[in-house]
Amino acid sequence: MKVLYFAWVRERIGLEAEEVAVPEGVATVAELAAHLAARGEGYARAFENPRIVRAALDRRHARPDTPLGGAREIAFFPPMTGG
């Protein structure tokens, strides 16, 4: 699955994007975020407060409990504000 990182999530991880093999047993957005958080210090910092990191599956906003299903792409980003 293609994983995209934006704003301070990208800065903490040090990558804009990467291909990730989703392991068996990882079925939701939250489970993927937890899996990524275990990959190293930068990932752990990016996902240290998973309640504030937002996600989009195939360019559609997704809740943490959203199944990954057959999605090709997931993006992680901080909350957005309007003005």
Side-chain angles (χ1 to χ4, degrees):
M1 169 181 281
K2 186 172 186 174
V3 182
L4 305 169
Y5 307 108
F6 293 93
W8 55 257
V9 177
R10 176 182 62 225
E11 291 170 7
R12 292 177 183 182
I13 291 172
L15 297 171
E16 291 183 15
E18 64 181 322
E19 289 290 329
V20 172
V22 178
E24 197 171 313
V26 172
T28 66
V29 169
E31 290 171 353
L32 180 58
H35 168 72
L36 293 171
R39 294 180 79 183
E41 185 179 331
Y43 292 94
R45 285 188 59 232
F47 293 102
E48 66 191 351
N49 188 350
R51 293 184 342 198
I52 63 170
V53 176
R54 303 295 186 247
L57 279 175
D58 290 335
R59 300 179 185 222
R60 295 183 150 231
H61 286 273
R63 296 171 41 103
D65 61 349
T66 302
L68 298 174
R72 294 182 186 176
E73 176 185 279
I74 187 167
F76 289 104
F77 48 91
M80 297 175 277
T81 60

